[in-house]
Amino acid sequence: MTKRSEWPGGGGLPSREDILDFIAKSPVPVGKREIARAFKVAPAHRVALKGLLKEIERSGAVERGAKRRLAPIDSLPEIGTIEITGVDEDGELLGRPLAWSGVGPAPTILVDPETCDVGDRVVAQLARLDAQIYRARVLKKLAGTADRIVGVFRAGRDGGRIEPTQRRDKTEYRVTVADAEGAQDGELVVAEALPARRMGLPQARIVERLGDVDAPRAISLIAIHTHGIPTGFPPAALEQAAAAQPVALGERTDLRDVPLVTIDGADARDFDDAVWAEPDGDPENAGGWHVLVAIADVSWYVRPGDALDRAAEERGNSVYFPDRVVPMLPEELSNDLCSLRPQVDRACVAAEMWFDKDGRKIRHRFLRGLMRSAARLTYEQAQAAMDGRTDDVTGPLVEPVLKPLYGAYAALAAAREKRGALELDLPERKVVLGEDGKVERIEPRQRLDSHKLIEEFMIAANVAAAETLEERRIPCMYRVHDVPDPAKLQALQQFLESLGIPGLRLAKGQTVRPRQFNQVLQRAADTPHAPAVNELVLRSQAQAVYSPANLGHFGLALRRYAHFTSPIRRYADLLVHRALVKAGRFGEGALPEIGEKEFAGVGEHISMTERRAAAAERDAIDRYTVAFLAERVGATFRGRINGAMSFGLFVTLLDTGADGLIPIGTLPGDYYDLDEARRQLVGRRTGRTFTMGDTVTVRLAEADRVTGSLLFAYVDEDEEEMSGDGGENRRGRRTGATAAGRPGRRATRPASSKRRTAAGKRGRG
């Protein structure tokens, strides 16, 4: 093989082996430019080089990361978040990546011991020394320490034990009387592990008591503490928020006569966006629209580097639970001065946009203004008014405000359809609590035109923000969504073929487009497989993240996109506001000078906090659902298979959206093998199959309130009718809780992947 140092030059193309060798030896991911420079590829061969790189990527030999750079499979990104886990023999700190999805153990990361301590979490620049060793240069130390134990205290004579609430943690921890801090039996606690002992259970010390585990509010507390969501604000941040005052007009644009309205959920407490529209009066834009999207001016109150800013950056975003919100900013700001309440003056940054009749944006500009919301509307209220059911608030607003808003929305929706944004049909469910804090019901979330209206207005403003900052060459924290991984597309194709549904139909070398996924979804729409196909299309998508490097937004079919519209609850939006203040020379609160790597580190951090929040919210919903079903153990339900593993089937109940496992031992009498390509279990003797998307009947065998997990037993409907009592199958074996845990009908392959559900889509916007 030709070594890189021996490359003779001449401007031709290097071989596939030379390129792979160069990528493997580079300490950081490389792009086409670096490869062309290293091998002195002449301009005339650059297009051919691009095609060769795509072919190498499709082969699965390398993977693509940020800025479309290539790296060996299962390599770490150039900027990443790591946790310091220990010290090696030479005194260097050892770290592990917080997000490792590769095969096998995570690489070893060496960290300078002078920069941090064991237990710290840091954003670092990573350079590969060899396949399994990296060197880290710390860019930013993050608040918080290593994971703590959240569990239920079980009292005993010698103190007690802690039963962890995480379903993957099967270890109990012993607690001495001295370390119990007076905890009572059945109390929810937070503890920290003590140094390991040679014999017996590991020990822990209780550091916080959270109250009765059966209390309704305990569910969200488990999620908050399990996922390390910061809750209390530093005194300096609280003092700063308490001292904040409303702003005067000054040099701001006066928007108080514009009848802007907020449209939010009925339970919303912070209103950070208001909208208004009118037909464009320009005769050269007949049928066009003039639109205003006004957003709370959080950048005026939260300045770079101050106490509020440090607290907001640590959180990264607000976190929403059925019974509470953990806000990014103190309530004096999030629920008052930065909330666009009706009939009060509020500081704002506004995107003023003009669209033609087909929804194409003609021009835009940004203003720093003072506004006064004309009304606070709910989604249901706005939709009812447009459907002819007005009330005292909406009646006077229908003609001057709501009809123009819906008219502009129709144009924007047409433009969205034309560009081919990804349109997934994945219903979400809402947990509704009663006055006692317990689950009253679980119901589907409505998807009204009023929801879509706000979504399209926000997308338009977000695009305008990204375009402005790119044009002015000011750092922008983009919201990026990369193209799907080729390996995931291949798995999707195989599954579609097994169902007899035409797949993506990609020509050789063709780049997939969102429109092609929509065509697949349309072909599956009228079949029983539609939910499974929507789920698999979702799973094939890349994770949306924040980055100063613009990769575009695949799902929305947009070349540039940034989050601008929710600075109360997302730190990324606050960064974009500061950049716009700088771009427009609007005065105080502008984005300061910041290094490229430091800005990339901030993007990595807030992407992590977003994933953390989404995981905590899903965890809480799962636990509330288990609590709701706990009194119905033994009841039967209809469900849909959403995953097949060597140890059983994951099933989602149709009425509540609850997820649980059917252990393979409860399936009808046979031995079952896993067919990964078709995502199904296949009986060896009978050939009976259980495939992702199939509808099944299950009996709830177990609902574990502590871990938030459900266990189902498969119910054969035909045999239920034959037996008459619904509790025996044809072999006479019980299909309830006892049989559910009994081994015996194991598949022959080990589990090789982790379960993901439709709830994961929350982080893909």
Side-chain angles (χ1 to χ4, degrees):
M1 183 177 68
T2 303
K3 301 296 184 183
R4 179 186 164 204
S5 59
E6 301 169 353
W7 181 253
L13 280 178
S15 69
R16 182 179 187 274
E17 289 72 21
D18 288 313
I19 292 175
L20 288 173
D21 184 51
F22 176 68
I23 293 172
K25 291 181 177 179
S26 173
V28 296
V30 296
K32 184 181 71 173
R33 180 180 300 176
E34 289 83 4
I35 294 172
R37 185 183 299 120
F39 293 106
K40 301 178 182 178
V41 178
H45 296 289
R46 297 291 173 88
V47 173
L49 175 63
K50 182 178 180 181
L52 178 57
L53 294 179
K54 286 187 175 181
E55 183 179 330
I56 291 173
E57 183 187 349
R58 284 196 298 269
S59 73
V62 296
E63 59 185 3
R64 183 170 61 177
K67 298 184 180 179
R68 302 185 183 276
R69 293 174 179 268
L70 301 174
I73 292 295
D74 290 343
S75 60
L76 297 179
E78 189 173 358
I79 304 290
T81 304
I82 64 175
E83 181 179 9
I84 310 304
T85 57
V87 182
D88 69 4
E89 296 177 354
D90 298 323
E92 287 195 280
L93 292 177
L94 300 176
R96 67 173 178 86
L98 285 182
W100 172 248
S101 57
V103 177
T108 299
I109 303 174
L110 304 177
V111 188
D112 183 354
E114 296 181 2
T115 59
C116 46
D117 297 310
V118 174
D120 286 346
R121 291 182 176 182
V122 300
V123 176
Q125 183 179 2
L126 303 172
R128 190 172 64 251
L129 302 180
D130 65 25
Q132 281 294 307
I133 301 178
Y134 284 74
R135 169 70 65 184
R137 183 171 72 85
V138 175
L139 300 176
K140 181 181 180 63
K141 186 182 292 187
L142 305 177
T145 57
D147 295 338
R148 288 182 169 183
I149 303 158
V150 181
V152 179
F153 181 69
R154 304 299 186 189
R157 292 182 180 179
D158 56 350
R161 299 184 181 190
I162 295 175
E163 180 183 344
T165 56
Q166 286 184 286
R167 65 187 71 173
R168 294 177 183 173
D169 190 349
K170 306 300 183 183
T171 303
E172 289 191 345
Y173 295 83
R174 179 174 173 269
V175 181
T176 66
V177 174
D179 290 330
E181 292 295 321
Q184 302 298 307
D185 186 66
E187 197 168 8
L188 184 65
V189 299
V190 179
E192 59 184 17
L194 296 175
R197 299 170 23 149
R198 292 187 178 181
M199 302 280 293
L201 292 174
Q203 286 189 233
R205 177 174 56 245
I206 293 174
V207 297
E208 188 174 358
R209 297 166 57 188
L210 303 178
D212 186 355
V213 70
D214 293 325
R217 290 175 63 84
I219 291 176
S220 55
L221 285 175
I222 291 173
I224 288 168
H225 288 275
T226 297
H227 296 277
I229 305 296
T231 51
F233 287 95
L238 294 174
E239 291 172 9
Q240 185 182 337
Q245 297 294 322
V247 302
L249 179 61
E251 296 182 359
R252 293 174 177 268
T253 301
D254 194 344
L255 301 173
R256 288 175 291 184
D257 290 335
V258 179
L260 288 147
V261 296
T262 62
I263 306 177
D264 294 277
D267 55 355
R269 293 190 296 169
D270 52 359
F271 317 120
D272 52 6
D273 56 80
V275 293
W276 168 85
E278 67 173 358
D280 190 358
D282 186 349
E284 296 185 4
N285 188 30
W289 298 94
H290 176 205
V291 169
L292 201 64
V293 175
I295 307 298
D297 188 1
V298 178
S299 63
W300 178 262
Y301 295 100
V302 184
R303 302 294 175 83
D306 66 16
L308 280 171
D309 181 53
R310 293 192 299 272
E313 183 179 357
E314 177 193 0
R315 283 162 170 73
N317 40 255
S318 298
V319 191
Y320 294 85
F321 301 103
D323 66 334
R324 74 182 79 200
V325 176
V326 180
M328 187 181 79
L329 296 170
E331 291 191 0
E332 290 88 347
L333 296 181
S334 59
N335 291 350
D336 189 6
L337 289 177
C338 292
S339 186
L340 306 181
R341 294 179 174 180
Q343 309 305 329
V344 293
D345 292 356
R346 286 290 182 258
C348 68
V349 176
E352 188 174 17
M353 300 170 285
W354 288 263
F355 300 90
D356 67 15
K357 60 182 178 60
D358 298 318
R360 291 189 296 262
K361 183 162 61 64
I362 299 171
R363 67 184 188 278
H364 72 268
R365 64 171 180 164
F366 282 88
L367 312 166
R368 200 175 203 182
L370 191 68
M371 62 159 286
R372 183 180 296 155
S373 171
R376 177 273 200 264
L377 306 179
T378 67
Y379 291 115
E380 295 78 10
Q381 192 179 18
Q383 191 62 52
M386 287 299 295
D387 293 340
R389 303 186 305 277
T390 61
D391 56 31
D392 292 342
V393 176
T394 57
L397 297 175
V398 171
E399 293 297 330
V401 176
L402 291 178
K403 284 189 176 180
L405 283 172
Y406 274 75
Y409 156 64
L412 293 175
R416 177 191 179 104
E417 183 176 359
K418 185 173 182 179
R419 74 172 186 269
L422 183 60
E423 301 290 352
L424 288 168
D425 181 15
L426 291 165
E428 292 186 69
R429 285 174 170 78
K430 178 181 179 181
V431 172
V432 180
L433 303 181
E435 293 184 2
D436 58 359
K438 295 183 178 180
V439 181
E440 190 173 276
R441 63 186 183 278
I442 298 174
E443 61 186 20
R445 286 187 181 273
Q446 289 185 296
R447 179 70 170 158
L448 305 171
D449 280 348
S450 54
H451 291 93
K452 300 175 186 177
L453 182 156
I454 293 300
E455 179 179 305
E456 290 305 316
F457 275 51
M458 299 304 111
I459 290 173
N462 289 338
V463 171
E467 290 177 348
T468 293
L469 297 180
E470 191 168 294
E471 179 185 345
R472 305 288 176 85
R473 298 189 176 182
I474 293 174
C476 176
M477 188 59 73
Y478 293 97
R479 178 65 167 177
V480 299
H481 183 213
D482 208 352
V483 297
D485 182 273
K488 292 183 178 180
L489 293 184
Q490 184 177 4
L492 175 63
Q493 287 279 70
Q494 291 177 336
F495 181 69
L496 293 173
E497 289 171 3
S498 72
L499 299 178
I501 298 175
L504 294 169
R505 299 175 178 173
L506 295 176
K508 185 176 181 180
Q510 181 184 2
T511 301
V512 68
R513 304 291 183 191
R515 189 185 307 278
Q516 291 164 297
F517 285 109
N518 290 340
Q519 292 168 351
V520 169
L521 295 171
Q522 289 167 4
R523 290 193 284 270
D526 295 327
T527 74
H529 307 299
V533 173
N534 274 269
E535 174 74 17
L536 261 295
V537 169
L538 170 69
R539 296 187 195 183
S540 71
Q541 302 303 302
Q543 179 77 41
V545 297
Y546 294 108
S547 172
N550 182 25
L551 302 179
H553 197 293
F554 178 82
L556 293 174
L558 294 168
R559 295 177 59 189
R560 55 189 65 83
Y561 189 66
H563 275 168
F564 155 75
T565 53
S566 295
I568 289 178
R569 61 186 181 90
R570 292 189 304 224
Y571 193 75
D573 302 54
L574 176 56
L575 294 173
V576 170
H577 272 239
R578 289 172 176 167
L580 290 169
V581 169
K582 183 175 183 177
R585 299 180 179 178
F586 293 143
E588 299 178 61
L591 184 73
E593 294 297 323
I594 185 169
E596 180 180 345
K597 293 191 184 303
E598 183 182 355
F599 205 43
V602 174
E604 172 72 22
H605 169 63
I606 58 180
S607 297
M608 180 276 290
T609 63
E610 179 188 50
R611 293 191 297 269
R612 178 180 68 185
E617 291 168 354
R618 288 196 302 271
D619 187 11
I621 294 297
D622 287 346
R623 291 178 183 277
Y624 271 110
T625 305
V626 170
F628 180 64
L629 293 173
E631 297 177 0
R632 302 175 68 185
V633 171
T636 57
F637 302 87
R638 294 291 286 170
R640 181 174 288 110
I641 298 173
N642 67 27
M645 295 292 181
S646 61
F647 49 83
L649 301 168
F650 288 112
V651 172
T652 299
L653 301 187
L654 299 184
D655 57 350
T656 62
D659 293 315
L661 173 70
I662 302 179
I664 203 166
T666 69
L667 296 180
D670 204 342
Y671 284 83
Y672 290 83
D673 295 308
L674 175 65
D675 185 334
E676 294 187 51
R678 292 179 171 81
R679 298 174 184 267
Q680 63 184 199
L681 291 177
V682 183
R684 292 183 188 176
R685 180 177 57 81
T686 63
R688 186 169 187 172
T689 61
F690 294 90
T691 306
M692 180 175 175
D694 287 353
T695 301
V696 293
T697 299
V698 298
R699 176 175 291 107
L700 178 57
E702 181 181 319
D704 190 331
R705 291 175 181 266
V706 174
T707 62
S709 58
L710 297 174
L711 201 64
F712 299 133
Y714 176 77
V715 176
D716 192 314
E717 293 173 285
D718 294 335
E719 291 161 9
E720 283 276 296
E721 294 175 3
M722 291 173 60
S723 68
D725 70 355
E728 302 280 342
N729 65 15
R730 63 180 166 217
R731 293 188 165 215
R733 178 171 53 84
R734 294 294 301 178
T735 57
T738 302
R742 182 183 299 163
R745 310 195 203 288
R746 298 177 181 172
T748 58
R749 298 186 188 176
S752 60
S753 60
K754 296 181 180 179
R755 166 177 163 259
R756 290 177 58 198
T757 68
K761 69 180 177 297
R762 296 183 59 116
R764 298 189 178 274

